[in-house]
Amino acid sequence: MLWHSLGLEDVFKQLESGRKGLSFGLAKQRLKQFGKNEIRLERKISPLKIFAEQFKSVLVLVLLAASFVSFVVSLFPGYEDNLINAILIFVIVIANGVFGFFQEFKAEKSLEALKKMSPNKAIVLRNGQKQVVDAVELVPGDVVFLEAGELVPADARVFQARNLHLDESLLTGESMPVSKRTKVLPQQTNLAERINMVFKNSVVTSGTGLAMVTETGLKTEVGKIAESLHGPGQKATPFQVELDRLGKRIGFLVVIVVAFVALNQLFFLNVDGSFANRLVIVFLTAVSLAVAAIPEGLPAVVTWSLGLGTRRMAKNNALVRKLASVEGLGDVDVICTDKTATLTENRMTVTRIFSNGKTVNVTGTGHDLDGNFLLGKIKIPASEFEPILRAGALCNDSEISFDEDNNKIFVGDPTEIAFLVSARKAGFSEKRILLSMPRINEIPFESEKKRMVTVHDAGNGKQVVFMKGAPEIVLEHCSKILLQGKEVKLCKKNVDEILEKNKFFASQALRVLGFAYKKEKKGGKKFEEELVFLGLQAMIDPPRKEVKASISECKSAGIRVVMLTGDNIVTAKSIAEQLGIKGKALDGNKVHKLTDEQLSFAVEETGIFARVSPDAKLQVLKALQANGHVVAMTGDGVNDAPALHAADVGVSMGLRGTDVAREASDIILLDDNFSTIVLAVKEGRTIFDNIRKFVNYLMTCNLAEVLVVFLLSFGGFIALFPAQLLWINLLTDGPPALAIGIDPGNKDIMKRKPKKKNEGVINKRLAYLIAGIGVWMTILLIGVFFIGFSFGGIVLAQTMLFTGFILYEFVRIVVIRQQEHIGLFENKWLVYAVGFSLFLQLLLLYTPLSSLFSLVQLSLFPITQLEIFFWSVLLGGVAIGWIGAFVITKLVVSATPTQN
């Protein structure tokens, strides 16, 4: 039902109600018919569901399969060691799941704590009497009272309004309070322009009114948006998609390699016994190799890195609801952001005053009570502008007070608060002035009249009248103007100058109001005649101080910022210009009229979308995604929720955001600060870099393990036993790999473009590095094996190969850090981890534990020829390995400069 297009009597008839509201009996009957006036959000915190979500990754499923196969193999005689392998992989996977569960469960609990309840009570007319009822019990046909400072409890049609203004920015994106009236509107009137309607969860900023409830619960505008988010399940982030893709590739490659090695060993391995015995040994060796080839540490490192990033972001006031969303921010190349309260203060601020023939700038933003009055760059005394500042403070219904903790509280219309603040900057307290000049009469502001008048007792039988309103309207009631402190006749030249100044201020997206006054004998009733014009005060909702630098940093990082706002195009362009947002400006009403092809082209050229409806926001977002962009959407209002839900990464506001918006988002900015998102992007990129470093390190070493076992099997050698492969993976995939996840970000991380949308963890450069250095390690290690074999036989060869793998993998860490321009000692935890792993390896070599792994035990005292030979070959190989890996890295990096 288009309630805004019906006359009041038709509304009453349709709802079978009237100006005295419903009867108690009919209200109860309708409550059963329509249900409670509440919006039950879709998501409930289910610990079991959150825990199960941790095990949906393809890579995790591959690891669980490997753990199961290892357990089955451990049941064969002589292969009991595989039980340790099975248990270790299972523990790693479960620990990873538990860690991820606690991170996400904590975020969900934090979100619950953030939720703000809808109004608990509502004042209604029942049986023609005022009643206070629970807001959830409101039904269509109820008459509700609207008062300043209250939340609107349901969608309703206004039938009585006295200076009634509402803040609807959370629903429509319009930053200024909307004046409400009772007149009938055309059917096609946009939501933001339905001035005869009030909507659930909007805030009454001033005035009073009566309205008849038309919709409740999910039928309200807020409810419709909440319900639209109910359909699709939880979306996968780009990073989750990439991890699954990587898991499938690794699983496929492992199957191919293991099958190839198994067939090779079946025909070439020199094993005594029957063909069946050979078949069992080949199968068991192949399984061990498969376990060695799978990077079981990857899920743990990913979760560890994301978890650490989440904690760092929490310190910077960003609550992460889904771990993978952190990395997803690192892929973002377009940020679509709301303007009001996200880019701006959401606090109207007087920035220009035209009075006494002078135009001055006023410093200070928002509710800061400190500021100066500048004529050019020269500070001038505020006393020159006392009359207009006094008028702004007294012709005003807002108030500045203090709570019990002595924090300032600003109550009232944002425009009127701005006038109080500008007066306070000059040292004028409206409260002190009111004590000497109490208000004795008033004419409230009405949209039709576009002015407000207050009358004050000046003592000695005198009264002072103040008027504020649209400049052209105020001028109509003036016969004089105050110039140089004197009242002179208002001439056409004065009027033209004032209107020209008004036009100039308006062109800068400033909201301008004119002021006038007069002194007269107390008791006079002609308040609006023969006034003295005082001047203009011009204001704007100013940009947040830190946002311009953040947008500049986004540009350096290859991220385009697009503004989508419900404000008019002039204001949007002005704010965009101040913040450095580039691109054309487009009225949101035109978005629906564009074809898909036209919109696809328009979103690439446009940086400002004004007067945007929720549907238009979604259209713009989907057009950007269709063009191949990874898009983050920031917002706080109900109107932002569909786009937040559909975005690759949805970022909502914690302080001012609605529950619906928070539920639709992946990340919540607890301080509502756009600049926090830049820190989050940096964190996301750092995490991805660390994961890529880990994959680089681990896959290179795993490739070498597979190739060494495979190639040596051609000669009939068992290069390494399953327990030895497990130990290598434990020392290299364990503490060192986790420590890589703590690596600091590259200093230039925000000076490079985002990676391409279809670029995986393993890109062309990384594939070349893994293959080149993996083959180089294979050659060195096979050489070490045969040198050891020629000196002391197969057991010494296996011992040297076993130790060589661990040493050379740590050399790989050094080369990676050189490639990334990160100092060797910048990450102290990595130094400790490598040191700890080396200590465990030496403990194994120099104690009887070596026999458990079928190794040669080395002697610390005395040092024999064996130890000298052993370490000379390995350390010489380390030096040669480092030089070779360094050269290969240089060649690959120079051949793939764009990292794709």
Side-chain angles (χ1 to χ4, degrees):
M1 182 71 69
L2 299 175
W3 299 105
H4 63 277
S5 64
L6 298 179
L8 289 175
E9 294 305 320
D10 289 331
V11 172
F12 298 154
K13 184 177 179 181
Q14 288 287 338
L15 292 170
E16 298 179 6
S17 183
R19 295 176 185 272
K20 293 184 178 181
L22 301 172
S23 65
F24 292 122
L26 189 54
K28 286 183 180 179
Q29 180 182 330
R30 291 193 178 181
L31 185 61
K32 292 180 181 179
Q33 177 185 353
F34 294 102
K36 289 187 175 182
N37 175 37
E38 58 186 355
I39 300 171
R40 291 193 175 276
L41 298 173
E42 167 201 356
R43 303 190 74 258
K44 300 284 185 183
I45 295 181
S46 168
L48 186 61
K49 182 178 179 182
I50 294 174
F51 186 68
E53 289 281 339
Q54 311 305 314
F55 301 95
K56 292 176 65 175
S57 164
V58 173
L59 188 57
V60 169
L61 295 177
V62 169
L63 288 174
L64 288 174
S67 175
F68 177 75
V69 173
S70 293
F71 171 74
V72 172
V73 169
S74 71
L75 301 177
F76 288 84
Y79 286 88
E80 290 82 2
D81 287 344
N82 277 277
L83 180 60
I84 300 174
N85 194 30
I87 293 173
L88 183 64
I89 295 176
F90 186 75
V91 168
I92 287 174
V93 171
I94 295 299
N96 169 65
V98 169
F99 185 81
F101 163 78
F102 277 112
Q103 288 292 332
E104 294 191 6
F105 185 72
K106 183 179 178 182
E108 292 300 308
K109 294 298 288 183
S110 298
L111 176 61
E112 285 288 305
L114 275 175
K115 287 183 179 178
K116 295 175 181 175
M117 300 298 292
S118 291
N120 293 320
K121 302 291 182 180
I123 303 175
V124 301
L125 278 176
R126 295 266 173 94
N127 281 3
Q129 300 174 358
K130 263 191 178 184
Q131 302 284 328
V132 178
V133 301
D134 290 333
V136 295
E137 295 180 359
L138 287 179
V139 295
D142 263 327
V143 171
V144 294
F145 287 80
L146 304 173
E147 297 179 353
E150 299 294 330
L151 288 176
V152 177
D155 288 6
R157 171 65 190 274
V158 178
F159 65 84
Q160 182 178 308
R162 179 178 171 83
N163 192 29
L164 184 62
H165 290 76
L166 273 78
D167 178 357
E168 297 179 341
S169 60
L170 292 178
L171 180 64
T172 66
E174 172 62 61
S175 62
M176 293 300 302
V178 179
S179 175
K180 294 297 178 178
R181 285 173 273 179
T182 60
K183 70 176 185 178
V184 179
L185 300 172
Q187 288 189 2
Q188 65 272 21
T189 305
N190 292 331
L191 184 71
E193 296 170 352
R194 294 178 187 175
I195 58 175
N196 59 8
M197 297 289 298
V198 292
F199 302 104
K200 183 177 175 67
N201 286 358
S202 297
V203 182
V204 181
T205 59
S206 65
T208 59
L210 289 173
M212 180 164 288
V213 174
T214 54
E215 307 288 356
T216 59
L218 290 174
K219 296 295 184 181
T220 63
E221 293 298 327
V222 173
K224 290 175 188 175
I225 294 174
E227 194 171 35
S228 72
L229 304 177
H230 182 81
Q234 185 68 34
K235 65 181 183 292
T237 68
F239 186 56
Q240 287 173 318
V241 173
E242 167 55 25
L243 276 185
D244 274 354
R245 188 164 58 214
L246 180 61
K248 290 174 183 176
R249 288 176 179 174
I250 290 174
F252 177 76
L253 289 173
V254 165
V255 170
I256 296 298
V257 170
V258 168
F260 194 63
V261 170
L263 288 172
N264 176 68
Q265 288 192 336
L266 188 62
F267 294 104
F268 290 97
L269 187 63
N270 185 17
V271 178
D272 295 331
S274 64
F275 179 80
N277 185 46
R278 178 194 295 268
L279 191 62
V280 171
I281 293 174
V282 167
F283 172 72
L284 298 176
T285 304
V287 168
S288 299
L289 184 60
V291 172
I294 293 172
E296 56 262 49
L298 181 55
V301 168
V302 168
T303 306
W304 173 252
S305 299
L306 293 174
L308 289 174
T310 295
R311 291 182 181 181
R312 287 193 291 264
M313 287 176 64
K315 291 179 181 178
N316 288 309
N317 293 309
L319 173 66
V320 178
R321 297 184 60 211
K322 288 293 178 182
L323 288 181
S325 302
V326 182
E327 192 285 329
L329 270 172
D331 295 343
V332 165
D333 62 345
V334 176
I335 298 175
C336 291
T337 176
D338 188 25
K339 177 188 73 69
T340 305
T342 308
L343 299 176
T344 64
E345 297 266 4
N346 195 34
R347 294 171 175 177
M348 296 301 291
T349 304
V350 173
T351 58
R352 309 292 291 277
I353 293 176
F354 174 69
S355 182
N356 230 354
K358 298 176 182 177
T359 302
V360 296
N361 296 316
V362 185
T363 65
T365 59
H367 293 167
D368 185 357
L369 301 182
D370 295 321
N372 294 313
F373 298 83
L374 304 177
L375 185 61
K377 294 183 179 180
I378 302 172
K379 181 179 176 181
I380 60 175
S383 57
E384 289 193 34
F385 306 97
E386 179 178 350
I388 190 171
L389 294 173
R390 184 188 293 266
L394 293 179
C395 190
N396 199 313
D397 288 327
S398 62
E399 183 180 350
I400 302 175
S401 58
F402 295 85
D403 62 16
E404 58 186 12
D405 297 321
N406 207 35
N407 296 314
K408 289 192 293 290
I409 301 174
F410 299 83
V411 182
D413 182 275
T415 298
E416 294 197 323
I417 290 173
F419 296 137
L420 287 189
V421 171
S422 66
R424 287 289 186 97
K425 288 175 181 177
F428 303 138
S429 168
E430 73 285 353
K431 291 184 178 179
R432 287 199 299 269
I433 299 172
L434 279 171
L435 289 175
S436 60
M437 297 178 62
R439 185 185 298 187
I440 56 177
N441 209 337
E442 66 178 290
I443 300 175
F445 179 86
E446 292 182 14
S447 299
E448 292 86 353
K449 293 183 177 181
K450 296 184 180 180
R451 64 185 183 272
M452 173 183 178
V453 176
T454 59
V455 185
H456 301 262
D457 186 349
N460 298 321
K462 299 287 186 181
Q463 67 184 27
V464 179
V465 178
F466 292 107
M467 176 185 285
K468 75 177 178 196
E472 64 277 13
I473 300 297
V474 173
L475 282 169
E476 291 175 1
H477 297 270
C478 294
S479 59
K480 296 180 180 180
I481 183 172
L482 189 68
L483 289 176
Q484 306 302 323
K486 296 180 180 180
E487 296 179 6
V488 298
K489 185 178 179 180
L490 181 68
C491 64
K492 185 177 184 302
K493 180 181 177 182
N494 299 138
V495 172
D496 290 343
E497 183 184 10
I498 293 166
L499 294 178
E500 188 62 33
K501 187 64 67 173
N502 177 45
K503 184 178 179 182
F504 173 71
F505 285 159
S507 70
Q508 296 181 315
L510 297 173
R511 187 180 186 217
V512 189
L513 269 75
F515 292 85
Y517 89 116
K518 73 173 179 178
K519 290 181 180 179
E520 62 181 7
K521 186 177 180 180
K522 190 173 181 180
K525 299 298 182 182
K526 297 181 179 180
F527 306 140
E528 299 180 293
E529 296 180 11
E530 303 296 322
L531 296 174
V532 180
F533 190 79
L534 295 174
L536 308 172
Q537 291 200 59
M539 69 190 73
I540 195 169
D541 178 13
R544 290 176 178 264
K545 295 177 183 177
E546 66 283 348
V547 168
K548 185 173 183 178
S550 298
I551 290 176
S552 178
E553 192 169 4
C554 283
K555 290 179 183 176
S556 299
I559 301 170
R560 185 161 68 99
V561 178
V562 177
M563 180 197 294
L564 297 101
T565 177
D567 260 343
N568 65 73
I569 200 163
V570 175
T571 301
K573 286 172 70 174
S574 175
I575 295 295
E577 185 178 348
Q578 292 179 58
L579 293 175
I581 296 176
K582 304 296 182 183
K584 295 180 179 179
L586 181 66
D587 192 304
N589 293 322
K590 297 180 180 178
V591 169
H592 302 290
K593 300 175 183 178
L594 299 177
T595 64
D596 289 345
E597 185 178 351
Q598 289 172 329
L599 184 59
S600 176
F601 180 76
V603 294
E604 297 300 327
E605 286 191 324
T606 306
I608 307 152
F609 291 88
R611 291 294 185 194
V612 181
S613 66
D615 288 342
K617 283 189 177 186
L618 206 52
Q619 279 185 270
V620 170
L621 173 69
K622 290 182 176 179
L624 286 165
Q625 290 173 323
N627 287 355
H629 295 289
V630 177
V631 185
M633 170 73 189
T634 75
D636 55 7
V638 174
N639 64 324
D640 295 323
L644 286 170
H645 185 72
D648 295 294
V649 181
V651 184
S652 66
M653 304 299 149
L655 291 176
R656 192 172 180 271
T658 59
D659 289 344
V660 176
R662 295 189 201 118
E663 287 286 348
S665 65
D666 303 297
I667 295 173
I668 301 169
L669 303 184
L670 300 179
D671 58 357
D672 287 11
N673 194 336
F674 175 86
S675 297
T676 304
I677 199 172
V678 179
L679 298 175
V681 169
K682 183 177 181 180
E683 199 64 60
R685 291 188 176 190
T686 298
I687 288 168
F688 184 81
D689 282 358
N690 288 344
I691 291 169
R692 180 171 272 176
K693 279 184 279 186
F694 171 78
V695 171
N696 184 356
Y697 157 65
L698 196 65
M699 294 303 290
T700 301
C701 303
N702 284 14
L703 176 63
E705 288 178 33
V706 172
L707 289 177
V708 167
V709 173
F710 170 60
L711 293 173
L712 288 178
S713 68
F714 278 104
F717 296 104
I718 297 178
L720 294 169
F721 294 114
Q724 294 169 340
L725 287 169
L726 173 63
W727 180 260
I728 291 171
N729 279 11
L730 177 63
L731 291 193
T732 56
D733 292 12
L738 290 175
I740 288 175
I742 313 175
D743 257 356
N746 192 293
K747 292 180 177 63
D748 295 330
I749 200 167
M750 291 300 285
K751 293 182 180 178
R752 71 182 192 215
K753 293 182 179 179
K755 65 183 180 67
K756 295 178 181 177
K757 189 172 185 177
N758 58 352
E759 180 185 338
V761 175
I762 302 178
N763 59 3
K764 187 186 295 184
R765 172 181 290 183
L766 189 55
Y768 289 160
L769 286 171
I770 291 172
I773 298 177
V775 170
W776 174 242
M777 283 180 64
T778 300
I779 294 170
L780 282 176
L781 289 166
I782 289 177
V784 166
F785 179 88
F786 281 114
I787 292 173
F789 183 76
S790 64
F791 185 85
I794 185 64
V795 178
L796 178 61
Q798 289 174 333
T799 304
M800 294 181 68
L801 179 63
F802 175 62
T803 306
F805 263 118
I806 292 171
L807 292 178
Y808 296 170
E809 290 194 21
F810 292 155
V811 168
R812 183 77 191 102
I813 291 177
V814 174
V815 175
I816 290 172
R817 298 182 77 71
Q818 289 175 324
Q819 173 191 339
E820 299 290 335
H821 305 292
I822 300 175
L824 293 177
F825 301 102
E826 282 191 41
N827 183 348
K828 64 179 181 179
W829 297 108
L830 183 58
V831 176
Y832 297 155
V834 170
F836 179 67
S837 293
L838 287 175
F839 169 75
L840 291 179
Q841 179 65 12
L842 293 174
L843 188 68
L844 187 65
L845 291 174
Y846 283 92
T847 66
L849 290 173
S850 58
S851 61
L852 297 177
F853 288 84
S854 304
L855 302 172
V856 172
Q857 182 178 342
L858 301 181
S859 172
L860 191 59
F861 300 105
I863 297 176
T864 67
Q865 186 179 1
L866 173 64
E867 283 77 31
I868 295 173
F869 169 80
F870 184 90
W871 290 113
S872 296
V873 173
L874 287 178
L875 294 178
V878 164
I880 296 171
W882 173 78
I883 294 171
F886 183 79
V887 171
I888 292 170
T889 299
K890 285 288 185 183
L891 291 174
V892 171
V893 170
S894 63
T896 55
T898 56
Q899 283 207 31
N900 53 32

